[in-house]
Amino acid sequence: MRKYQTLLYYCYSHIDHAEQFAADHLQFCKSLGLVGRIIVADEGLNGTVSGTPEACQAYMDAVHADPRFAKTDFKIDEVNELSFIKMHCRYKPEIVHSGLRDPKIIDPTKETGKHLEPREFMEMKDRDDVVVLDVRSNYEHNVGRFKNALTLDIENFREFPEKINELSAYKDKKILTYCTGGIKCEKASALLLKNGFKDVYQLHGGIIKYGKEAGGKDFEGKCYVFDNRVTVDVNHVNPTEVSACRTCGTNSSRMINCANPECNEHFAQCEACGWKMEGCCSDTCMAHPRKRPYDGTGYYVKVPQPVNLEKISRREVKRLTANPTLHN
C-alpha cells in the first residue's frame, strides 16, 4: 500500500474576493499538511495537491462542502512519495492561461463541448467521422499522445486561439478534444464552438481519468504532469514509447530542463546523454558561462526575484489600503 496520495482537480465557478480566498486557502492546506500547487482566479480553482490519504480526504470533503465546488471531480493517484516539496496557492487572472478572460467571449460554466466519459471516448475515437484533437503544448504531446491524434505546434496553451483557423478543414467532423485532466478542454471546446464548429466533445477527466477507467488503451507514451513525477504511466493495455532522447534518438521519456538558464528548454534526454551533455540540449549551451551544475535530475530550484511593486494588482493594493491590519 502506498503511503501518500496526489489529487488533480479543477472547477470553474465564480469566486468573490478571489485574492483573499487564495490566501485563506493556502493556510487551510498548510494546516492539513498538504503540499502542492493551486491556482485561484475569479473563474475558479485549478490544483494538484499531495499528502497522506487522511489529509487528502479532509481536503476533498472541505472542497465538496462548499456549494461553489460541490461538483469538483478529483483524480486520485496513490504515490510512494509526495509529489511536491512545498505548498503554493496563488491568485492569477485565469486558472489556465489562455488569454481568454472575457466571459462574454467564452464561459465554461455556460457552454463547452459535450463531455464524454472515458469509455465513451474510447468507443468514438476511431470512427471515420471523428478527429481526436490534443490541445496541449509540444513538450506534453511529444512525450505521450493518443494514437492518430491531431497535435498542434504550440509552446503554451495561450497560443491555442491562434491555431483555430488551421483546424477549419475539420469543421464537418466530430472533434474530440483531450488534455491532461480536462481543464484546457473546457476553454478549447468552448472556443471551437464559438468559431463555428458544430459537433465538439471533450474527454471528461482527461488522460488521467482515461487511464484509470479505460486502461489507457491507445494512449502512446506517458502523460506529462505538473509535479515532481513529471510523467506518469497511463496505458496498461497496449503501452508503447513515443518520446526520443534529443541527443542520441533512443526511446526516452525522461524530461529535463537545459542546464543553461538562458535556454532552459524542456526536452527529453536519456540518462547517459544527460551526463555526457551535462544536462544541456546542445554544445552551445554546454559552453555557456552561466551553465548550472548538473546533478542528474535536470531540475533547478528557481532563484527568488525581487518583488516588482509595479506588477502588484490594483485590486490587491486597494485591499491592503482598505485593511491596514493585513500589513502586519
Side-chain angles (χ1 to χ4, degrees):
M1 183 175 179
R2 298 191 175 182
K3 189 175 180 180
Y4 302 104
Q5 291 181 338
T6 295
L7 311 177
L8 174 68
Y9 69 97
Y10 70 89
C11 182
Y12 281 99
S13 181
H14 182 75
I15 302 175
D16 290 325
H17 312 296
E19 289 175 274
Q20 184 60 50
F21 178 92
D24 295 340
H25 201 66
L26 173 62
Q27 295 307 312
F28 172 63
C29 291
K30 286 183 175 180
S31 74
L32 294 176
L34 295 173
V35 291
R37 184 183 298 114
I38 301 172
I39 298 173
V40 177
D42 297 344
E43 65 183 5
L45 294 173
N46 175 19
T48 307
V49 297
S50 193
T52 64
E54 295 76 16
C56 288
Q57 187 61 56
Y59 181 77
M60 290 188 287
D61 290 344
V63 171
H64 283 149
D66 189 321
R68 296 171 293 184
F69 316 126
K71 296 182 179 180
T72 302
D73 183 19
F74 286 94
K75 275 73 73 177
I76 306 172
D77 275 344
E78 306 293 332
V79 294
N80 290 321
E81 298 178 351
L82 293 171
S83 300
F84 295 87
I85 298 173
K86 296 181 180 180
M87 185 69 230
H88 299 281
C89 184
R90 297 187 175 101
Y91 172 81
K92 292 190 176 183
E94 299 177 272
I95 56 175
V96 60
H97 188 12
S98 67
L100 301 169
R101 304 177 191 176
D102 187 350
K104 295 178 182 177
I105 299 176
I106 58 169
D107 184 349
T109 64
K110 295 181 179 179
E111 183 180 39
T112 66
K114 305 177 187 75
H115 287 64
L116 293 175
E117 293 304 317
R119 294 196 176 277
E120 294 175 310
F121 182 92
M122 181 171 63
E123 190 277 327
M124 283 185 66
K125 67 181 179 60
D126 296 321
R127 295 182 186 177
D128 292 339
D129 61 342
V130 162
V131 171
V132 177
L133 176 63
D134 192 319
V135 304
R136 300 172 303 153
S137 304
N138 290 335
Y139 63 88
E140 296 175 85
H141 61 66
N142 282 342
V143 79
R145 55 194 175 269
F146 276 103
K147 182 180 180 180
N148 299 323
L150 177 65
T151 58
L152 302 174
D153 182 15
I154 57 177
E155 295 300 323
N156 191 289
F157 182 63
R158 64 176 175 268
E159 298 173 25
F160 178 81
E162 302 169 9
K163 297 292 181 177
I164 293 292
N165 290 337
E166 296 181 13
L167 302 172
S168 59
Y170 306 108
K171 280 193 173 181
D172 62 340
K173 299 275 191 177
K174 292 181 173 66
I175 308 296
L176 273 59
T177 66
Y178 74 88
C179 60
T180 307
I183 186 171
K184 292 177 180 177
C185 290
E186 300 283 3
K187 287 193 174 182
S189 65
L191 189 62
L192 288 167
L193 290 168
K194 189 76 174 181
N195 280 269
F197 291 79
K198 304 298 183 184
D199 216 353
V200 182
Y201 302 79
Q202 64 188 78
L203 174 57
H204 182 218
I207 300 163
I208 299 299
K209 189 173 183 179
Y210 182 85
K212 295 180 181 303
E213 297 187 7
K217 182 182 178 183
D218 293 333
F219 185 84
E220 300 179 329
K222 295 179 181 288
C223 180
Y224 189 96
V225 292
F226 297 86
D227 58 56
N228 290 352
R229 295 173 296 171
V230 186
T231 61
V232 297
D233 291 323
V234 170
N235 192 333
H236 307 291
V237 179
N238 54 347
T240 58
E241 189 84 61
V242 297
S243 182
C245 171
R246 165 77 69 84
T247 308
C248 69
T250 59
N251 285 343
S252 177
S253 57
R254 180 177 175 272
M255 300 292 290
I256 71 167
N257 283 88
C258 181
N260 173 9
E262 294 187 13
C263 171
N264 206 45
E265 183 175 351
H266 199 43
F267 66 101
Q269 189 175 62
C270 70
E271 186 171 1
C273 288
W275 288 110
K276 176 183 176 182
M277 299 294 293
E278 298 176 10
C280 293
C281 66
S282 66
D283 291 338
T284 301
C285 284
M286 275 185 73
H288 197 280
R290 291 190 60 208
K291 182 174 68 69
R292 296 169 288 199
Y294 179 67
D295 65 359
T297 67
Y299 172 79
Y300 305 96
V301 177
K302 291 183 179 179
V303 178
Q305 299 297 314
V307 175
N308 186 341
L309 296 178
E310 293 181 0
K311 290 188 177 181
I312 297 178
S313 71
R314 294 178 183 176
R315 188 179 314 174
E316 180 68 5
V317 171
K318 183 178 180 180
R319 182 176 72 86
L320 292 173
T321 303
N323 300 276
T325 57
L326 293 176
H327 289 281
N328 299 328

